[in-house]
Amino acid sequence: MDLTRDQGASELFHAQSHLYRHIFSFISSMFLKCAVQLGISDIIHNHGQPITLPELVLELQINPTKAGFLHRLMRLLVHCGLFATTRVHKNQEDEEEAYDLTPSSRILLKDNITSLSPFVVAMLDPALVTPWQVLGNWFRCDQVTPFEGAHGVGFWDFGDQNPEFNKLFNEAMASDSGMMNLLSETASQFLRVWIH
């Protein structure tokens, strides 16, 4: 069957775009994990003001030949709303683009009570991402969960056998619980004020 006869070129293009958007959607998650691993939020926060790309390259201590790749990383993270751009004056004549924090990147700051950095790193760890790779096979096998299908053991047994992953997961849960507790307290305070 020739699809081009049944569908116009525009419809085919939209269908292809739709599929590609879903195929490559994992890239945003991986860029987020990369930003957490590099500590970009903390670097911008500690800089005390928006940071330019050359300053960020210097702070990250990466090879200057990778500055173009860092620029691409930051563009995607800005596009996703994780960071913002602004213009800064380096001298009276020159203006440069600089990166700033957003509410989302502020909750990635490692020293904050509300830091979700451990949660990001754990949820995007290969141990938790791999089960999604075997989901199709899982429907055809007798394993109870996709996690078991990917790793040969259940989640809790895997944690017992892998202390480093267990620590990572526990830090993630503590991080998430800290955020939920803060939100719960804030909601309770709001209700008390609203009711009285």
Side-chain angles (χ1 to χ4, degrees), residues 42-159:
D42 293 293
I43 288 170
I44 295 171
H45 176 73
N46 294 337
H47 191 68
Q49 61 187 13
I51 193 168
T52 65
L53 184 65
E55 292 169 333
L56 186 58
V57 168
L58 188 63
E59 287 293 323
L60 287 170
Q61 300 177 353
I62 64 171
N63 187 320
T65 62
K66 295 187 179 175
F69 298 109
L70 182 62
H71 182 248
R72 289 183 191 101
L73 170 73
M74 293 306 295
R75 277 182 38 198
L76 184 105
L77 293 170
V78 167
H79 176 75
C80 293
L82 294 165
F83 294 98
T85 56
T86 188
R87 305 298 291 176
V88 294
H89 295 280
K90 287 299 171 185
N91 57 47
Q92 292 198 0
E93 295 175 17
D94 294 332
E95 190 176 75
E96 290 184 70
E97 181 177 70
Y99 302 103
D100 204 357
L101 298 174
T102 64
S104 295
S105 53
R106 286 185 204 292
I107 60 175
L108 296 175
L109 294 171
K110 291 179 181 158
D111 292 336
N112 279 357
I113 294 172
T114 59
S115 178
L116 288 178
S117 285
F119 190 78
V120 169
V121 172
M123 294 304 111
L124 297 174
D125 186 80
L128 292 178
V129 174
T130 300
W132 296 103
Q133 297 288 331
V134 301
L135 195 56
N137 294 335
W138 172 75
F139 276 101
R140 294 187 178 110
C141 72
D142 60 352
Q143 274 109 9
V144 177
T145 65
F147 191 93
E148 184 183 336
H151 299 292
V153 295
F155 180 82
W156 302 113
D157 290 334
F158 183 87

Side-chain angles (χ1 to χ4, degrees), residues 30-41 73 77 83 108:
M30 294 301 116
F31 276 20
L32 169 59
K33 182 179 180 182
C34 178
V36 169
Q37 290 170 325
L38 292 173
I40 293 173
S41 292
L73 170 73
L77 293 170
F83 294 98
L108 296 175

